[in-house]
Amino acid sequence: FTMAPLSLYISFYTSLAKAISTLIFARLYNPQSPPYRNLKGQNAVVTGANSGIGLSIATALAKQGATVYLACRNVEKVHAAVASIVSQLGHEAATRVFCWKVDVGDLHSVRAFCEKWGEEGRRIDMLVYAMCLDDMFVRHILTACNNI
């Protein structure tokens, strides 16, 4: 009968202590909800809002009263996202959640979006680009929409 090396015992008991402490602290942790802020009268444009983090952000903004414009390139998916938000927040949200077609990878599409936005006389209070985009897109859309 041979004994395992001391380092193996130390590694095992260290891992066991970490696991037990994680379980104990997990039971003590009280999750905090994000603070509510009244966003009525504010316009938010969220790109990539037809699924994932973009949809979650759009839902949270609509829940706080913002008028949310889901800017996506696939109209069918974004209509489904709007329906999802309205079903979660109630029929009143349908008057504050809109879908606009824009392909952020195509500058002509972004320009057309901004021209339409400007014609309707809106301002952008919040711009959330929930896609992997660089700073150049943000500068372009804000410049094209005359909001700098």
Side-chain angles (χ1 to χ4, degrees), residues 29-64:
Y29 174 73
N30 291 326
Q32 299 176 354
S33 58
Y36 178 82
R37 185 169 174 205
N38 186 358
L39 299 176
K40 287 188 180 182
Q42 301 225 357
N43 294 320
V45 176
V46 184
T47 65
N50 57 344
S51 64
I53 190 86
L55 180 59
S56 298
I57 291 170
T59 304
L61 290 171
K63 187 183 287 186
Q64 294 183 35

Side-chain angles (χ1 to χ4, degrees), residues 6-7 11 16 18 21 38 44 46 50 55 60 74 92 97 105 107-108 116 119 127 134 143:
L6 182 62
S7 63
S11 173
L16 181 65
K18 286 180 182 178
S21 65
N38 186 358
V46 184
N50 57 344
L55 180 59
N74 188 325
E92 183 272 331
V97 180
L107 291 181
H108 296 295
K116 181 179 175 186
E119 288 171 4
L127 175 61
D134 60 7
T143 302

Side-chain angles (χ1 to χ4, degrees), residues 75-98:
V75 177
E76 292 81 25
K77 287 184 180 180
V78 77
H79 281 300
V82 169
S84 169
I85 293 171
V86 170
S87 70
Q88 289 179 42
L89 304 181
H91 186 65
E92 183 272 331
T95 62
R96 294 182 292 102
V97 180
F98 305 99

Side-chain angles (χ1 to χ4, degrees), residues 8-19:
L8 186 63
Y9 287 104
I10 292 173
S11 173
F12 171 77
Y13 286 110
T14 303
S15 297
L16 181 65
K18 286 180 182 178

